[in-house]
Amino acid sequence: MTECERQQHAHLDALLQAYHEALAVHKFDGVLVFSGQPARHFGDDQHATFAAYGHFVHLTGQAHLAHSWVMVRLGEPPTLYLHSPADIWHLPAYLPEEPWVERFRVEARKTHEPPALPPGRFAVLGEISDDRAQAMGAEANPSGLVAALNELRVRKSAYEVSCLRNANHRAMAGHLSAREAFDAGGAEFDIQLAYLGGVRQRESELPYPNIVGLNAHGGVLHYQHYDTVAPEKRRSLLLDAGVRYRGYCADITRTWPGHDSVAEFTPLIDGVTSLQHDLIAQLAPGVSYVDLHRRMHEGLAALLVEQRLVNASIEAVLESGLTQAFCPHGLGHLLGAQVHDVSGLVDATGQRRPPPAEHPALRLTRELEVGMVVTVEPGLYIIPMLLETHRHRPEVNWDRVDQLADHGGIRIEDNVLVTAAGPDNLTPQEP
């Protein structure tokens, strides 16, 4: 048995034991987890890209099995009801040759209907209406049980860390291929194709739509298009792109200057990269991620002053709110079977921990713990909509800021494991 196989068996042992304990605490005899079903486009017979429910992925590692179910019952092995009808139009679903498969009873089914439940008190999780659950004789998404199962995903097993590390290595190969396409003068579409070739995954298999932003497009935080014609000037590339490996997600962002970038742009990239490294070095058990987010803004204020974008003290820049105009998003989030993984805005008991009012976009408000995997992604952007409200501020060097407007923005993002011995960066650094 390989080390990966041993890790997967140990992961399943611990996960199923935790499921049984949660079922006992919440007085359920079992739980039925629905993978979900792809949504059909209105007035059409085509379906949208599908990703399975996170708890289904956590149990199976399968992110694209639709109309399938996992039954976990007290004292029994789990059962996978695999939707795999004979079909001349599509290849039937099949399972990989991985150790977890032998741990499940597998029942291939043709129907979209849920499996019949045995006698007892059951919960059903996923995209299920209360009426449908009631007709099945179950309770839909009971909050206490869902919170307990969400918490199981917060701290990663050795197997999950191995999957996340593998996803990161594959994603970085794609980033390097994309950078080569950028340096060769490719359009956003060409860069996306180069990335897909580098990671050997289809767009529909990726954990999220890649952000491939040339020039000013890098300042659109979730830019969603791929221009097919290269711009005349190549100022910058912001690439936010990931990979799935056995259901687990990588989420990496890099920013590179182009042949036509102004001289002031590269020092800003270097500054954001240095800030990111400093923040990663501070990841440790017990550290408040909210405090770390605030330290990001302190570092951004220092960078704005150092690079003469703002002529004021660091304290004055922070008080003015300028750093939030230059970086409106949070420092990062939990990562796992979902890109923005569950339980980032609650404590270990499931109680809400909303972000501070002045930082509403922050997706992680917990104290860090051993086993958490988080993204660390400081950014600095020229977003006219946000900066316009600060145009009255004479301390801002607007000539210098406007010179950077067609460079879009900068984001540097790695995926990091919190350990007792310090941060373990799962993201390979560029050669």
Side-chain angles (χ1 to χ4, degrees):
M1 185 181 295
T2 67
E3 180 61 22
C4 180
E5 289 171 338
R6 281 190 289 270
Q7 287 181 342
Q8 193 176 61
H9 278 299
H11 167 72
L12 278 172
D13 285 341
L15 181 58
L16 291 172
Q17 177 62 31
Y19 257 72
H20 290 168
E21 291 172 0
L23 289 171
V25 166
H26 294 277
K27 296 180 171 51
F28 285 99
D29 296 298
V31 60
L32 188 62
V33 183
F34 183 37
S35 68
Q37 56 193 9
R40 179 174 289 182
H41 296 301
F42 181 74
D44 199 349
D45 62 355
Q46 299 295 310
H47 293 85
T49 298
F50 171 74
Y53 178 48
H55 287 306
F56 183 90
V57 178
H58 195 208
L59 286 162
T60 67
Q62 302 302 294
H64 304 291
L65 286 181
H67 304 290
S68 297
W69 308 76
V70 169
M71 171 89 77
V72 180
R73 296 176 64 187
L74 290 174
E76 295 193 14
T79 300
L80 170 61
Y81 298 97
L82 175 68
H83 183 251
S84 184
D87 188 350
I88 65 169
W89 299 103
H90 305 94
L91 184 68
Y94 59 92
L95 298 178
E97 294 183 5
E98 294 177 21
W100 71 268
V101 176
E102 65 191 54
R103 302 285 299 276
F104 284 68
R105 297 170 179 162
V106 178
E107 180 181 321
R109 306 172 79 241
K110 298 179 180 180
T111 178
H112 287 182
E113 293 302 312
L117 292 172
R121 184 176 181 230
F122 281 80
V124 58
L125 306 186
E127 192 176 0
I128 298 289
S129 69
D130 290 339
D131 289 343
R132 190 180 190 194
Q134 187 174 10
M136 295 167 61
E139 298 178 38
N141 300 305
S143 59
L145 180 61
V146 170
L149 299 183
N150 285 349
E151 190 64 18
L152 298 180
R153 291 164 52 185
V154 170
R155 290 158 293 277
K156 304 301 186 288
S157 68
Y159 171 72
E160 291 177 291
V161 171
S162 177
C163 290
L164 289 162
R165 196 185 304 275
N166 193 306
N168 268 264
H169 278 264
R170 294 178 182 218
M172 183 51 70
H175 275 259
L176 295 177
S177 296
R179 183 176 185 179
E180 290 178 2
F182 170 56
D183 289 340
E188 292 167 350
F189 182 74
D190 303 311
I191 295 167
Q192 169 72 347
L193 291 179
Y195 180 87
L196 296 176
V199 301
R200 311 304 295 171
Q201 282 193 357
R202 297 169 57 189
E203 283 185 330
S204 60
E205 296 175 302
L206 300 179
Y208 58 93
N210 289 345
I211 300 167
V212 184
L214 289 176
N215 300 347
H217 292 163
V220 181
L221 298 180
H222 283 174
Y223 174 66
Q224 72 274 39
H225 302 294
Y226 304 126
D227 279 354
T228 57
V229 177
E232 290 185 10
K233 299 288 187 180
R234 287 183 294 125
R235 308 290 193 190
S236 64
L237 167 64
L238 186 151
L239 176 65
D240 186 336
V243 161
R244 275 193 191 272
Y245 178 75
R246 294 189 173 185
Y248 289 87
C249 307
D251 182 5
I252 301 172
T253 309
R254 290 292 184 266
T255 305
W256 296 289
H259 181 268
D260 302 305
S261 66
V262 297
E264 291 83 356
F265 191 59
T266 296
L268 285 172
I269 296 176
D270 293 341
V272 174
T273 302
S274 177
L275 172 60
Q276 192 236 22
H277 291 171
D278 290 344
L279 292 168
I280 288 175
Q282 298 176 54
L283 296 179
V287 170
S288 163
Y289 208 78
V290 175
D291 289 345
L292 206 60
H293 173 84
R294 292 191 173 111
R295 289 175 211 164
M296 175 188 74
H297 279 276
E298 292 169 3
L300 290 173
L303 182 60
L304 291 171
V305 171
E306 174 192 309
Q307 294 299 318
R308 295 184 293 112
L309 294 179
V310 183
N311 301 312
S313 68
I314 294 172
E315 294 74 17
V317 174
L318 287 168
E319 187 175 349
S320 70
L322 274 168
T323 59
Q324 294 175 50
F326 281 100
C327 183
H329 63 69
L331 174 60
H333 49 81
L334 292 172
L335 183 72
Q338 292 173 247
V339 176
H340 299 144
D341 217 357
V342 293
S343 292
L345 298 175
V346 298
D347 64 19
T349 68
Q351 296 299 307
R352 291 186 66 251
R353 292 177 60 102
E358 67 274 22
H359 300 291
L362 184 58
R363 289 188 169 103
L364 177 56
T365 56
R366 298 175 67 139
E367 290 186 354
L368 298 178
E369 301 176 45
V370 170
M372 285 183 173
V373 174
V374 300
T375 67
V376 181
E377 47 184 303
L380 195 157
Y381 313 87
I382 309 300
I383 304 176
M385 182 191 310
L386 298 182
L387 291 173
E388 194 61 35
T389 60
H390 294 274
R391 281 283 172 179
H392 64 283
R393 297 186 181 279
E395 68 270 28
V396 178
N397 187 341
W398 290 110
D399 288 342
R400 199 171 179 86
V401 170
D402 292 340
Q403 189 180 22
L404 291 163
D406 58 359
H407 292 61
I410 300 161
R411 183 163 65 251
I412 307 296
E413 178 182 16
D414 288 357
N415 308 158
V416 187
L417 170 68
V418 179
T419 81
D424 179 3
N425 196 336
L426 307 180
T427 305
Q429 303 306 295
E430 296 172 64

